[in-house]
Amino acid sequence: MIRCLAIDDEPLALKQLVAYIGKVPFLELAAQCQSAIEARSFLENDTVDAIFCDINMPDLNGMDFVKSLAVPPLVVFTTAYSEYAVEGFRVNAVDYLLKPFGLQDFQRAANRLRERMPANTTDEHQSGDADVIYLKTDYRIVKVSISDISYIEGMSEYLKVWIDGEAKPIITLLSMKKMEERLPDYFMRIHRSYIVNLNKIQEVNKNRVIMDAETYLPIGDMYKETFQAYIDRKFLGK
């Protein structure tokens, strides 16, 4: 999948852009923003593969916004003004969509994005990348194998991602909800502060799960019923 950021200051144009992204199977909407300022704030805490960006916006136009990014993602510019086309390609834009554009034009731009992506990026199931996420920590972006994650601990606006065999967790600015949405079904939230890899649980003891000799995690009241239903499905015995 290609994670996309949609940016347009016009609500109807943004709504249409989001709808078109939803119609292309290999595109995934990461966020939608109504200004370049809002988009910049989003990219401080997250990463995307591509941006669909309007040019003529107040405060900071799309062209200047893209030029300001240290490592810009792939970019498709959208605008009602054809005179921006040449400048758009000077910043190595993948494509340029002149408003009003239809789904066929959008699909063409999406296909060009896919052609420009690194090999196998959009073919996760064949390449094995379905088991991979990237997390921003400090000033680095690190690759994490999802199946290696033991559990995730929430702490205010940050998460601690505990990896098997690693003494220290990866600390990243991310919400539990967003992480939960990205994880496969062998992860389960057992507490407002904990998501566990069900394959890594060694023991269930009363109201807690034991991940290893030193890690005991509580099961929250809100999550007991769902977790117990999982245990019941797996339980062998009288």
Side-chain angles (χ1 to χ4, degrees):
M1 297 288 283
I2 300 175
R3 278 172 50 82
C4 301
L5 178 61
I7 312 167
D8 200 306
D9 65 308
E10 299 175 7
L12 290 178
L14 182 59
K15 183 178 180 180
Q16 182 190 57
L17 192 55
V18 168
Y20 283 168
I21 289 172
K23 291 179 183 295
V24 180
F26 55 83
L27 297 183
E28 174 190 356
L29 181 67
Q32 51 182 298
C33 301
Q34 287 192 264
S35 72
I37 303 296
E38 184 183 349
R40 178 184 285 170
S41 177
F42 172 82
L43 290 175
E44 287 176 356
N45 303 315
D46 209 334
T47 59
V48 295
D49 302 307
I51 295 174
F52 289 90
C53 185
D54 185 28
I55 294 178
N56 192 29
M57 294 186 289
D59 299 324
L60 178 63
N61 72 50
M63 197 73 67
D64 291 338
F65 163 65
V66 171
K67 289 177 181 177
S68 74
L69 298 175
V71 184
L74 298 176
V75 178
V76 174
F77 284 117
T78 66
T79 184
Y81 302 93
S82 59
E83 61 266 26
Y84 286 116
V86 173
E87 188 178 358
F89 287 114
R90 282 177 181 165
V91 296
N92 202 29
V94 173
D95 207 346
Y96 175 94
L97 291 170
L98 185 62
K99 297 178 181 178
F101 54 87
L103 180 58
Q104 186 174 355
D105 292 327
F106 182 86
Q107 180 74 62
R108 180 201 69 219
N111 288 337
R112 289 181 176 175
L113 274 178
R114 183 164 60 174
E115 291 169 2
R116 290 276 292 273
M117 291 294 293
N120 295 327
T121 300
T122 60
D123 194 3
E124 292 182 340
H125 294 289
Q126 291 185 11
S127 68
D129 280 353
D131 186 50
V132 167
I133 55 174
Y134 288 84
L135 297 175
K136 186 174 182 180
T137 178
D138 296 325
Y139 298 100
R140 302 175 298 127
I141 295 176
V142 296
K143 180 179 179 180
V144 176
S145 195
I146 295 175
S147 58
D148 289 339
I149 297 174
S150 177
Y151 67 98
I152 295 142
E153 179 181 358
M155 49 176 206
S156 187
E157 297 177 346
Y158 291 82
L159 298 181
K160 288 182 179 180
V161 182
W162 292 88
I163 310 294
D164 267 358
E166 299 292 336
K168 295 182 179 180
I170 296 170
I171 299 177
T172 186
L173 181 61
L174 201 63
S175 70
M176 289 286 275
K177 183 177 184 296
K178 187 161 189 178
M179 176 62 85
E180 197 173 7
E181 289 172 349
R182 178 61 181 84
L183 294 172
D185 58 8
Y186 57 87
F187 281 83
M188 182 180 289
R189 193 163 183 174
I190 62 165
H191 188 277
R192 66 185 304 272
S193 298
Y194 294 103
I195 299 172
V196 300
N197 184 337
L198 297 169
N199 296 329
K200 306 289 185 181
I201 295 174
Q202 294 188 5
E203 187 177 329
V204 180
N205 189 331
K206 295 182 179 178
N207 291 326
R208 61 185 183 177
V209 298
I210 300 173
M211 307 302 291
D212 56 47
E214 299 178 352
T215 307
Y216 296 70
L217 305 179
I219 303 170
D221 290 340
M222 287 179 56
Y223 306 91
K224 281 181 182 177
E225 185 175 347
T226 302
F227 182 72
Q228 187 60 51
Y230 164 77
I231 294 299
D232 291 343
R233 291 196 305 270
K234 299 291 183 179
F235 185 71
L236 295 180
K238 295 182 179 180

